[in-house]
Amino acid sequence: MKQRLHPFTALTAAASAAVVTTAAAYWPLSVAVALAAVFLAVRREVAGRVLPAAAVILTPLCLSLLVLHGLFFPEGQTVLAQWGPARVTAEGLGFALELGTRTTACVLAFLLFSFTVSVPDLVSALAGRRVPPQFGFVLASTLTLLPAVSVRLDRIRQAQETRGMVVRRGLVSRLGALRLQMVPLVLALIDDAGSRAQALDARGFGSPGPRTTYREVADPPAQRRFRAAALVFAAAAVAGRIVASWPAGVPS
Amino acid sequence: MTATTRTALQIRVEAFTFHGETTPVLSGAAISATPGSLTAVLGGSGSGKSTLGKLMAGWLQTGHAGQFRGSLELDGTLLEFRGAPDDPRINPAEWSRRVAFVPQDASAMLSSVRATVAEELAFGLENRATPREDMLSAVERTAARTGLSDLLDRDPATLSGGELRRLAVGCAVIAEPDVLILDEPLASLDAAGAAQLEDLVRSLRGSGTGIVLLSQAADRLAREATHWTILDGRTVTAAGAPAQLAGSAELERAGVIGVGGPGVLGPRAIAPSVAIGSSVAAGVRGPGPVPVAAPGPGSASLELRGVGFGYGQDPRRRGAPVLARVLRDVDFAVHPGEIIAVTGPNGAGKSTLLRHFNGLLRPTEGDVRVCGRSIAGVPVGTVAASMGLLFQHPRDQLFERTVLREAAFGLGQLFGKAEAEGKARAALAAVGLSGTEAAHPAELSASQQRLLALATVLAREPAVLALDEPTVGLDRHGLEALQTAVVRAAARGAAVVIVTHDLSYARLNAHRVLELTGGRLSEI
């Protein structure tokens, strides 16, 4: 089996990248981080899921940044074009670019983490750090619920199509079909949740007290050192940023 | 711990009523389990078996889930319940160390957040802070006992039905309880899976575990029991030694399915005008199977020509291996009025074959023809006009507010509004659901839900009726209704394909039995 990154190492890397990028506020660095995230996503074969998810989050965000700062940037001096109150200024565009690339880098880094992390490893690592197991369970369920729901919906759709339901193009037909699928889906999910809760109780999940973990997640010393270094680097970047942008007039 | 020092569990139910309901779901019942014994609780669908099992196992929290009057006795400690707020509270985690329960739906037993079988087995031990070395040995021991040793690294989500059931039992027995309660443990298992589970039960009994079996079939496992209790209409109607009760009127009335020796099931009551076999019981191998007139020549209602299929690469996981071919060069035809059974072990691809009939899956080679026309490129919902397909899980198909609306859904387009309700009522009557028209589908018992799903298919009067494991979960009343409906459909000229893992049922109820092995169909 390929040596996996400890979940905390991946999480630290993603978080540090986000912090450093934000602190640096230097768009070429943001672009480099974003490109690195895309490169890693391609290498880990998750680009097909990371990129669409990123697009869903980032497209409206970047568009709104462009509209907001590109057109209405009060501090803008270099006017490139003007329509009434809307002025396209070089400063505004620069600011939008800065903010857009920075957000893109952060979003990509965290998406890469969430699509590559092994959820069981993460839950087990959290349990090892005395995080309440309920937290780990909720986290794991959130990540496993969506695939489970989509499998279930697919089965319901098949069963219903088999009863002669033809879903036509068009919103009304699709919404009608969705309504019919929601009833069995919700009933099944409630039913599942009820019986699973009873089983979890019986297996001691709700009991207070200490726990042990069966799964061992390898945490080599090199990764620990990397995490420490990344955290120090991120802290240094933040400190550097604070010093650099200390209000003028205060002697540094 | 030796068998002689093991505790016995006793339950006495005066009445248990769910919150918000007025009539008790269970009353007048008493069961006990002693070390190494096997006690069978037999009853039809909706008789209250699962409620009894969950009460014994502490899964139904009194006061929380409903009102319980009665008592539970474990290891000499008597807990009395009066349906009052100061009733004793059971800690399910502590109770389950002594009394474990495996629900009918084995997957409900699993935490669903563990990545491997070994971790799932260890889940209960982790929560009890068992040291890791002890967990490792307990997992190894339990896996050997339940036949899971080769599967410890598998993802629980990829297990077959039989493997999943053994995992659920493993999760229950890893804490070495004194009593194990099994709810329908053999449902939907093929012969090999059932045999493994029976062996497991014997070995657990051998080591002193008392077993309580909840079942709607007086099957081979139930016949090994030391004591039978018959539940009917939510109360105990008879209790005693199996020899006394086999063939009794109480067993007959309760709708329990019999297997094997004559007399276990007792006399049958099928409408004589439609009776075709001597027996309708799943698994009964009786004399004189299906003497219905063989269908004449003519064009096939359903025809598969050289159909081949393999699940391709998963598009989301590049680099994943291409899975093995499920179907190879399948040629097969069903004619009007013909009943064909397709059998094969769990995982042979029977459901995959069925999904080709209406285009839910499309063949990689060959052609599927319904009523003489190829269905290539025809939407599933359109093929459904001639092809009625019933899936394994009725819940996935039901979505309406009442039973009648459910059966009538979409009939208006097929037959016109005036006739739709009549057709729906007739279909409900055909499966024995007359009188339940106003009920909500979710209120019906599991057996009745399955029959309702069947009625929704029958009401459309399709030319081909394809049923996926229709016998699973049906009690004897349900089986009789299924039988009647299938024979009637064939009599009006429908071609019927029944997919089942139950070879004896297939032999008894079909004109031809085909077996699917290695992706090929052959007549047996």
Side-chain angles (χ1 to χ4, degrees), chain B residues 203-220:
Chain B
S203 112
L204 287 169
R205 285 182 68 189
S207 60
T209 311
I211 310 272
V212 178
L213 170 72
L214 311 171
S215 175
Q216 52 190 11
D219 50 23
R220 208 163 51 205

Side-chain angles (χ1 to χ4, degrees), chain A residues 122-208:
Chain A
L122 180 61
V123 170
S124 161
L126 286 172
R129 298 294 155 101
R130 300 194 162 270
V131 174
Q134 285 81 354
F135 178 79
F137 185 83
V138 169
L139 183 76
S141 310
T142 324
L143 295 177
T144 52
L145 186 68
L146 214 59
V149 165
S150 84
V151 166
R152 186 130 218 163
L153 257 184
D154 203 40
R155 230 167 58 196
I156 292 172
R157 184 189 49 76
Q158 290 194 358
Q160 296 188 343
E161 274 189 325
T162 299
R163 277 184 65 182
M165 214 143 64
V166 183
V167 183
R168 294 185 184 79
R169 285 158 194 273
L171 197 63
V172 177
S173 172
R174 277 174 195 276
L175 283 180
L178 195 64
R179 179 186 73 83
L180 300 181
Q181 286 165 6
M182 281 304 130
V183 176
L185 178 71
V186 171
L187 281 179
L189 288 180
I190 290 174
D191 195 54
D192 270 5
S195 47
R196 202 173 305 284
Q198 290 173 333
L200 286 173
D201 265 351
R203 297 178 73 190
F205 183 68
S207 316

